[in-house]
Amino acid sequence: MTNITFNLKAPRIEVVDALRGFAIMSIMLLHNVEHFEYYYLPENFPTWLVALDKIVWDSLFFLFGGKSYAIFALLFGFSFYIQNDNQAKKGNDFRGRFFWRMMLLLIFGIVNTAFYQGDILTLYAFLGLLLIPVVKWSNKAVFITAVVLMLQPLEWARCIYYILNPDYVAPPNLSNAYYESIGYYMKNGSFMDYVIGNLTLGKIASLLWSWENGRFFQAPALFMFGMLLGRKQLFTTTVENTQFWNKVLRYAIVFFIPLYFLKTHIVDIIARVTLSNTLTIIFASWSNVAFMLVLVSVFVLLYQKESVNRVFSKLIPFGKMSLTNYIMQSMIGAFIYYRYGLGLFEYTGATYCLLIGIVLFIIQLSFCTWWLKTHRQGPLEYIWHKATWISFGKK
């Protein structure tokens, strides 16, 4: 979710801003169709609308579920490379300042969590610190580390344990109990009930869910891959890079198809629930990353075509103000769907929510375009940047 900061001599790579804009747009649509994690199916909808809602829900989650988050993680690592490289060129060590930057991101995440308990900024703030020890490693060392993390070693260790202990039955996920507790204040709570609940039960539930679904390994792996994309300058437009992204697209499609099949049908292949659930986490993680690479490579390749570029480039302001947009989404979405606001969760299915999400996207995009005509950064990006470079004493 981080914004790329370049020095005056280094032009921004527009495709990265546009890609980030695409990711946050898709995140907004997903958050809307799930009522910002207030899951509720309205009653008395006509049959045709129920069927349409299912199509909309399934389609959006197939396209973006777990993939938009992965794009953010990839670009987070790329942004870290840009910032670190800019400082290295000036003879500065960015690692200490990056630690402070992550502490600031944690504050933004806490503010966002008060409105939306599914916030990912806090997770990024903690896991982003793993970039500090690897920043000076060789490309090979970083790549191997990222691959090991991406393989989900903890889940494979669990699989081995389950195979060696065939009578063992894994307990329910710890996050389940917290999500059940969340339901109480979601149904009848005031605004302060939501804030307190989100910052306590909601935050714990979100972090536990991320741990239980492999995000603690997947996210830093993607951070590192994004850093490598920066080192290799793979988002710049060259013949060699075009060939690279074409190759990525082909391999990603080839890997995605069997991985998606395994993710979907492993429960049918392996009857033992304890083992099949763990394998599902692994294959879901891999299939999401594979499809994310399909989306990224297609986006990068199409961005080079003038006719498509005219459309995709309109996402640049949205991507430049990603932090502002992400937190604004939470505030506005919570007011629209939660009981302390308009309470529209009771009256809207996936189709209506998709339309609401599209309208909100257009409004936010218009605001970003207007704002950046007179400002270099979004309001929260400006605060984050200024606070990052605050002086802690005499130089």
Side-chain angles (χ1 to χ4, degrees):
M1 195 65 58
T2 186
N3 220 50
I4 304 173
T5 303
F6 291 84
N7 58 39
L8 294 177
K9 295 181 180 179
R12 295 181 70 104
I13 302 177
E14 290 187 344
V15 66
V16 173
D17 287 321
L19 182 58
R20 184 182 290 108
F22 169 78
I24 199 169
M25 174 195 70
S26 58
I27 283 284
M28 172 181 277
L29 298 182
L30 284 178
H31 285 177
N32 272 274
V33 299
E34 59 183 8
H35 300 138
F36 281 77
E37 295 198 7
Y38 193 159
Y39 298 104
Y40 182 87
L41 291 176
E43 300 176 356
N44 303 319
F45 271 12
T47 304
W48 67 268
L49 185 54
V50 172
L52 182 58
D53 281 346
K54 187 177 187 311
I55 293 172
V56 170
W57 179 281
D58 291 345
S59 299
L60 283 178
F61 275 88
F62 174 80
L63 289 171
F64 305 129
K67 293 86 172 178
S68 301
Y69 144 85
I71 295 175
F72 271 131
L74 195 73
L75 298 184
F76 184 96
F78 177 82
S79 299
F80 169 75
Y81 162 77
I82 294 295
Q83 294 162 342
N84 182 74
D85 186 59
N86 285 340
Q87 292 306 306
K89 290 175 180 177
K90 299 176 182 178
N92 299 328
D93 188 338
F94 183 61
R95 287 174 293 183
R97 192 64 64 167
F98 181 71
F99 178 89
W100 168 241
R101 186 171 173 81
M102 291 301 96
M103 295 304 98
L104 294 171
L105 184 62
L106 178 62
I107 295 173
F108 283 119
I110 291 171
V111 172
N112 192 54
T113 301
F115 296 91
Y116 171 57
Q117 50 94 8
D119 162 78
I120 64 168
L121 299 180
T122 48
L123 183 67
Y124 277 33
F126 286 121
L127 297 182
L129 298 177
L130 294 176
L131 288 170
I132 294 175
V134 306
V135 66
K136 293 188 179 296
W137 291 6
S138 68
N139 290 349
K140 183 178 180 180
V142 173
F143 180 79
I144 292 173
T145 303
V147 168
V148 170
L149 292 171
M150 186 62 70
L151 289 175
Q152 297 290 348
L154 178 61
E155 300 306 324
W156 281 115
R158 285 174 174 163
C159 286
I160 294 171
Y161 179 82
Y162 299 155
I163 292 171
L164 296 176
N165 297 272
D167 296 328
Y168 179 80
V169 177
N173 287 340
L174 291 174
S175 61
N176 293 349
Y178 285 94
Y179 281 119
E180 288 178 7
S181 300
I182 288 170
Y184 296 125
Y185 71 80
M186 294 286 279
K187 289 179 181 177
N188 301 302
S190 65
F191 172 72
M192 286 309 302
D193 290 330
Y194 275 79
V195 170
I196 295 171
N198 286 347
L199 290 173
T200 54
L201 296 173
K203 188 73 269 175
I204 296 172
S206 178
L207 290 174
L208 283 174
W209 183 91
S210 296
W211 172 258
E212 292 160 351
N213 286 272
R215 292 284 177 89
F216 275 69
F217 289 86
Q218 186 190 69
L222 290 169
F223 294 166
M224 293 176 198
F225 284 131
M227 184 174 70
L228 291 176
L229 290 177
R231 287 184 181 182
K232 296 288 188 178
Q233 301 295 311
L234 289 169
F235 280 118
T236 57
T237 303
T238 66
V239 174
E240 293 78 10
N241 287 349
T242 298
Q243 293 173 346
F244 169 81
W245 288 112
N246 272 302
K247 186 180 294 185
V248 168
L249 177 58
R250 291 195 297 270
Y251 278 107
I253 292 173
V254 168
F255 279 105
F256 170 73
I257 294 172
L259 288 172
Y260 183 78
F261 174 84
L262 288 170
K263 180 198 79 167
T264 307
H265 297 289
I266 196 67
V267 293
D268 303 319
I269 299 171
I270 298 178
R272 187 181 172 195
V273 175
T274 293
L275 183 58
S276 63
N277 283 349
T278 303
L279 289 171
T280 297
I281 292 171
I282 295 171
F283 295 133
S285 171
W286 294 352
S287 67
N288 284 342
V289 170
F291 197 78
M292 177 273 290
L293 290 174
V294 172
L295 293 176
V296 171
S297 54
V298 168
F299 192 97
V300 172
L301 292 170
L302 289 179
Y303 198 85
Q304 299 174 21
K305 299 181 180 298
E306 185 177 350
S307 58
V308 180
N309 180 282
R310 286 197 294 267
V311 177
F312 282 7
S313 61
K314 295 184 183 300
L315 292 169
I316 291 175
F318 206 63
K320 284 184 176 181
M321 291 175 54
S322 55
L323 180 64
T324 298
N325 286 324
Y326 185 72
I327 294 179
M328 282 177 59
Q329 284 181 30
S330 300
M331 293 179 175
I332 297 171
F335 177 77
I336 289 175
Y337 295 109
Y338 293 174
R339 283 196 181 279
Y340 68 75
L342 301 179
L344 291 188
F345 75 94
E346 289 190 273
Y347 313 104
T348 53
T351 306
Y352 290 145
C353 290
L354 175 60
L355 296 175
I356 292 172
I358 292 172
V359 171
L360 290 178
F361 164 69
I362 293 172
I363 293 172
Q364 276 198 295
L365 178 60
S366 300
F367 170 73
C368 293
T369 304
W370 169 77
W371 180 272
L372 290 177
K373 288 180 179 178
T374 54
H375 301 79
R376 291 184 59 192
Q377 297 173 302
L380 295 187
E381 286 76 13
Y382 175 81
I383 294 171
W384 194 17
H385 175 77
K386 285 295 183 182
T388 294
W389 296 105
I390 191 173
S391 176
F392 292 105
K394 295 182 179 180
K395 293 185 178 181

